[in-house]
Amino acid sequence: KNIKISHQNIQNESDKSDNSNDKEKNSSDDYNNLRALEIVNLNKDEIRKESNIMSSSKSLPSVAENEKIEKKFTFKNGEKYEGQMINNIPNGKGIMYYPNGLIYEGQWKDGLREGKGIYYLTKEKGDVYEGDFKNNVAEGKGISKYSNGDKYEGEYHNWNKHGKGIYYYNNGHRYEGDFYDDRAEGKGTYYYKNGDIYEGEFKYDLKEGKGIIYFANGDREMGNYKDDKPIGKHVRLAVGGKISSNIYK
């Protein structure tokens, strides 16, 4: 009976020991599971933070998309640019060297000549335009100097002399007046080197229509012109008051 009781006690102690081990195991498993969950949560937090950083960085434009920077850039067509750019597009002040030898130095807007600038129209820089540009062409007021010594000061439209202007010829003559589509056309005054002055109508760079010539000696003559020549009846008034007339064919 005592033996049986001892065996029962041993069994009870064994059960207690097993229960204690189970509790310790369960406690260890609970800790490991909790730690794993914390790690997962920490990883999620880090991933969330990283995602927020990436999202915020995407919403902030890069420097090239915002700032006007100075740089040198060569385009695929061979054009070389030095100056201010935004996104590799000329914006601001800069110089463009074209493959054919021409050079433009001045203001740019979205890759086009816009504002004030100088355009060297020949490799030798003999023909030069300096003035206003709009949408890549000469537009507004400007000055052109030509390799033959001629010079124009006045208004431009789409590269053409258009509006009011003065043209200085290399032979000493000068025209002041209206220009249309790159030619003297309308009303104007032509000054000859010898002192004579023609005042009247022009067409295709020639005297055409009614006009008066003021001679250097003080005489003046009125009449019509065609293809730069007098035509029909002209009346001449001399300095002394004498009046005469000529018929031109």
Side-chain angles (χ1 to χ4, degrees), residues 80-162:
K80 296 181 179 180
Y81 177 82
E82 297 179 7
Q84 297 174 321
M85 304 186 85
I86 297 177
N87 295 336
N88 292 332
I89 298 174
N91 271 283
K93 293 181 180 180
I95 304 174
M96 183 73 81
Y97 300 90
Y98 297 94
N100 58 6
L102 308 189
I103 301 172
Y104 171 79
E105 180 177 355
Q107 296 175 317
W108 297 80
K109 184 179 179 181
D110 298 332
L112 301 177
R113 297 181 288 269
E114 184 92 10
K116 301 290 184 181
I118 303 174
Y119 204 140
Y120 300 96
L121 300 169
T122 59
K123 292 182 179 180
E124 298 77 16
K125 297 186 178 180
D127 293 344
V128 181
Y129 169 83
E130 181 175 357
D132 297 331
F133 285 84
K134 188 174 182 180
N135 198 29
N136 222 35
V137 301
E139 186 81 24
K141 293 183 178 180
I143 300 173
S144 286
K145 297 178 181 179
Y146 303 96
S147 56
N148 66 351
D150 289 358
K151 178 183 174 181
Y152 172 78
E153 297 181 12
E155 297 175 322
Y156 277 84
H157 174 63
N158 194 26
W159 281 118
N160 292 326
K161 298 182 288 289
H162 195 92

Side-chain angles (χ1 to χ4, degrees), residues 173-186:
H173 297 179
R174 181 175 86 252
Y175 170 82
E176 297 183 14
D178 296 332
F179 285 83
Y180 177 81
D181 200 21
D182 214 34
R183 58 184 182 265
E185 190 153 318

Side-chain angles (χ1 to χ4, degrees), residues 33 42 46 94 142 193 233:
N33 291 336
L42 285 172
E46 291 300 321
K193 185 179 180 179
K233 183 179 180 179

